[in-house]
Every structure is written in structure tokens, then in C-alpha cells.
Amino acid sequence: MTDRHTHTQDGKNDFHHYRHHHHRHFSALLQGVSEAEGEKQSRGGGSQESTHTNTQHVTASSMSGRVCSNAWLWRGFLLTFLSFLSPGMCSGVLGGEDPLKGVEDPPLDPGMEVDPAAWSDYLNNLFDPVFDPSVASNVSVVEKQTAHLVCRVNSLGTKTVSWIRHRDTHILTVGSFTYTSDERFSALHREGTNEWTLQIRQPTVRDTGLYECQVSTKPTRGFLIHLAVVVPQASILHAPEIHIDEGSALNLTCVVAPSPAAPEYIFWYHRGEVINYESEGSVRVTVRQEEDRTVSTLLVVKATMDHSGGYACSPSNTPPASVTVHVFKAEEPAAMHTSSGRSLPPPTHLACTIAFLLPFLMLHPARIT
């Protein structure tokens, strides 16, 4: 019982000292706020003073403004922190009884000065920055399309966020400032949010690589993001030539890959002119995204002779792909079609005569003299 009582008593003494320490800082901080507000009110009414008095008043106002600004900045943090030191919570930690029962709070010390920089360092040690793990660590963009690398940092405090390119360990941005002569790079941050974005305009394949979102802790902490800049290509399935019969369906499929995002547009051309499939009811065009590729399909339900000719698929971010379509009349035998799309000439009269007489000559060779 004696050891337990001594252990509990030591815990109470430590807690009294801990709470008294924080109470003194908090009291001094509130005292600074009260004095700043009093000076502000006294400055509002009153008669004109001498030039020397006005100079002192301006100096005091500037100092009180800084105190008020720093005091209100940390007031919310301190109120939240001291709320955890309530007697109810401490009673559960120190054995079920209130260690502060009967203890009066120390009086305010108007003469104590508070160093805002010291309080800033103190609170920064309490709350360590943490990276949001839900942010994508692999980003793919099409060449020449603006890339955005997003980094979210919680509990940043007064620390700064920098972006570093691993290829040459070059510091690209610090906070909202750019530290590179390459104007394509810039930092994006909206006040009040935890997002720090590195923007890269007109990226090229050479920009592919690792980029680090770094926080100015000791030691520094970083979050790596891999950027892949790709160059997509367009192709039409079954190119370069397609043969169909008149009245059958014409289905042309254009594939754009690799394509992390769909192009702004994909135009189809027939004989050099853009196909207006909205006005032509017989033509339908669809576009869909499949993982890392974009697929556009042109469908003609019943093809006619007019649908013959060259077709081209032209995405916004790639050179066009082309194909030639041959439509044949339904009565033409399929065997007459060659891979080049040209029909064979009809058999001559002499060939028909030979084909008719050859079996007869083979059966009666002796009659031929």
C-alpha cells in the first residue's frame, strides 16, 4: 500500500507541474491578447496627442498587432490541447481519484512574455506531418497534355512542402515559389487546403521519372510519385483493306493506345471529308475508354456502293490512321475477288471451247487422225 501510495503521489506531483507549466504559458498568451485589445480600443476615442506620443502609439500598435495575430493563431490549438488535461480524464489515468481536487489554479502572471517562435516550434513537435496514402503514386499522361502531381499533407503546421526531381535532384518548387528556370513547372496550392500540386505544362517523354513531395522535417520526409509521359498511336483493325458485300454491315474500329485519358475528339473521314454521322442516319459512331486505350467504332448497318473508298480515323493527339473499303455487288461471285479488291476478267470463248472438247478427246483418242 505504501509503494502504491508513493507512486500515485509522485504521479500527482508530475501532473501538477505539467499542468502548471502549460497554464502559465496559456495565461500569458491570453494576457497578451487582452492588452492588445485594450490598446486597440483606447486608440479609437481620445483627443489628438503630440507627435512623440503618436510615434510611440504606432510602435505599440504594431507590436500588439503581432502579439494578437500570433496569439489568436495558437489560441485554438491551446484550447484543444488543454481540454485533454481535464480532471475527468486525469482521474482515469491516476487511479480513479481527481489529482487536482482542492488545488487552485496559479494566478495570472502579467509580466510573463511569450515568444511566438518558441510556441511555433513547440506545437510543431506535437503534430508531425503525415502524407495521405490514398494519393496515386503512379501518374500517366499523354505527351503535350498538362500533368498534375498531387501531394496531400496532414498536420503540416508551419513546415514547407517542396517538389524535387529525382533525375537530377533539382529543387523545382518550395512552397508556392518556383525554383527552376523551366517555366513549364509551377506549384499550385489553395489556401486552407492540404494539397500541394506540381503542375507540368507541355510534358515530353524526357519528363518521365520519379518526383518527390518533400516536407521540411528533421530528418526530411518524402512521398514519391512516378510520372509516365506516353505517346499514343492510332490504328484501324483489319487495315489496310477491307472487302464487304453490298447490303452487309460495315464496321470500322479505331484503337488509340496507350491512352490514359480519352482524346478531346476523334474525327472520322470518308474520301477526305468529315463524316457528319448526326445528319446521316445510316452511320453511327461510338467512343469508349478501356483501361489504357480508347476505342472508336464507325458502323454502317447496310453498306452501299457509295460507302466504298478511303476512311481515316483522326484523334486529337495522334496522327490519323487510314483504311480502304471495297464494296461489291451481291451477285458477283466471291471467288472473283482478289486480295487487291479487283475482279478477275471473265473466261474467253476459246477457253470455254477447250474445256468442252477435252473430255471427249480423252475418251476417243483413236478417232483423231
Side-chain angles (χ1 to χ4, degrees):
M1 291 293 293
T2 303
D3 294 340
R4 180 180 179 183
H5 177 74
T6 302
H7 176 73
T8 305
Q9 187 64 33
D10 292 340
K12 292 180 182 180
N13 293 335
D14 293 341
F15 180 78
H16 294 334
H17 175 74
Y18 184 70
R19 186 174 185 272
H20 177 73
H21 171 73
H22 288 281
H23 184 85
R24 291 183 62 194
H25 284 282
F26 183 63
S27 300
L29 186 60
L30 295 181
Q31 182 70 18
V33 175
S34 300
E35 292 177 358
E37 292 179 348
E39 292 183 7
K40 183 178 180 180
Q41 292 178 359
S42 63
R43 192 167 60 246
S47 59
Q48 297 181 350
E49 299 179 356
S50 63
T51 304
H52 178 69
T53 304
N54 287 337
T55 303
Q56 293 180 345
H57 185 69
V58 171
T59 304
S61 300
S62 302
M63 295 178 63
S64 64
R66 289 195 297 269
V67 172
C68 183
S69 176
N70 288 289
W72 281 107
L73 178 63
W74 303 115
R75 187 175 184 180
F77 288 98
L78 291 174
L79 290 175
T80 304
F81 179 74
L82 293 178
S83 65
F84 287 102
L85 303 180
S86 62
M89 182 176 182
C90 297
S91 62
V93 175
L94 299 177
E97 59 178 350
D98 185 4
L100 299 181
K101 185 176 181 180
V103 178
E104 296 182 357
D105 292 334
L108 296 177
D109 186 1
M112 177 176 286
E113 296 182 357
V114 179
D115 183 6
W119 273 112
S120 175
D121 294 339
Y122 172 72
L123 291 177
N124 281 336
N125 293 330
L126 287 179
F127 306 102
D128 288 336
V130 178
F131 292 101
D132 187 350
S134 64
V135 174
S137 58
N138 289 284
V139 177
S140 298
V141 296
V142 175
E143 190 177 33
K144 304 302 182 182
Q145 291 186 355
T146 302
H148 292 94
L149 307 184
V150 179
C151 178
R152 296 194 188 101
V153 186
N154 299 320
S155 304
L156 181 62
T158 58
K159 295 179 176 59
T160 57
V161 176
S162 305
W163 280 99
I164 300 174
R165 182 172 54 198
H166 265 225
R167 184 185 71 210
D168 51 7
T169 64
H170 186 72
I171 299 176
L172 301 174
T173 65
V174 176
S176 299
F177 299 96
T178 303
Y179 281 82
T180 177
S181 58
D182 193 339
E183 297 180 353
R184 299 178 305 130
F185 293 88
S186 59
L188 303 179
H189 174 66
R190 188 173 60 185
E191 195 69 26
T193 67
N194 62 345
E195 286 192 0
W196 298 83
T197 303
L198 177 65
Q199 177 178 267
I200 309 175
R201 294 184 296 271
Q202 297 291 315
T204 63
V205 176
R206 190 172 182 273
D207 294 318
T208 297
L210 285 174
Y211 294 81
E212 181 178 356
C213 172
Q214 191 177 96
V215 178
S216 60
T217 55
K218 296 180 181 180
T220 58
R221 300 180 182 180
F223 183 78
L224 293 177
I225 298 179
H226 182 268
L227 173 65
V229 181
V230 298
V231 180
Q233 298 291 333
S235 61
I236 298 178
L237 301 183
H238 310 298
E241 295 187 351
I242 295 177
H243 305 85
I244 61 171
D245 292 329
E246 186 180 21
S248 61
L250 172 60
N251 192 335
L252 301 180
T253 302
C254 177
V255 178
V256 182
S259 179
E264 296 180 4
Y265 58 83
I266 298 179
F267 291 153
W268 282 93
Y269 291 84
H270 181 214
R271 297 174 182 172
E273 296 182 359
V274 178
I275 299 176
N276 188 356
Y277 49 87
E278 293 182 354
S279 61
E280 298 182 16
S282 60
V283 179
R284 290 184 294 181
V285 175
T286 59
V287 179
R288 65 182 184 275
Q289 187 70 22
E290 298 179 353
E291 295 182 356
D292 62 342
R293 69 175 192 170
T294 306
V295 180
S296 178
T297 302
L298 183 146
L299 176 63
V300 179
V301 179
K302 289 185 178 182
T304 64
M305 300 299 294
D306 293 335
H307 291 112
S308 297
Y311 287 81
C313 164
S314 180
S316 61
N317 55 358
T318 67
S322 60
V323 66
T324 302
V325 175
H326 302 277
V327 181
F328 299 99
K329 291 184 177 294
E331 61 269 15
E332 293 182 9
M336 307 294 284
H337 301 163
T338 65
S339 59
S340 63
R342 292 175 296 180
S343 300
L344 292 175
T348 61
H349 180 72
L350 179 60
C352 292
T353 303
I354 294 174
F356 176 77
L357 294 178
L358 184 60
F360 177 79
L361 295 176
M362 294 178 64
L363 291 175
H364 305 282
R367 296 184 180 183
I368 301 177
T369 59

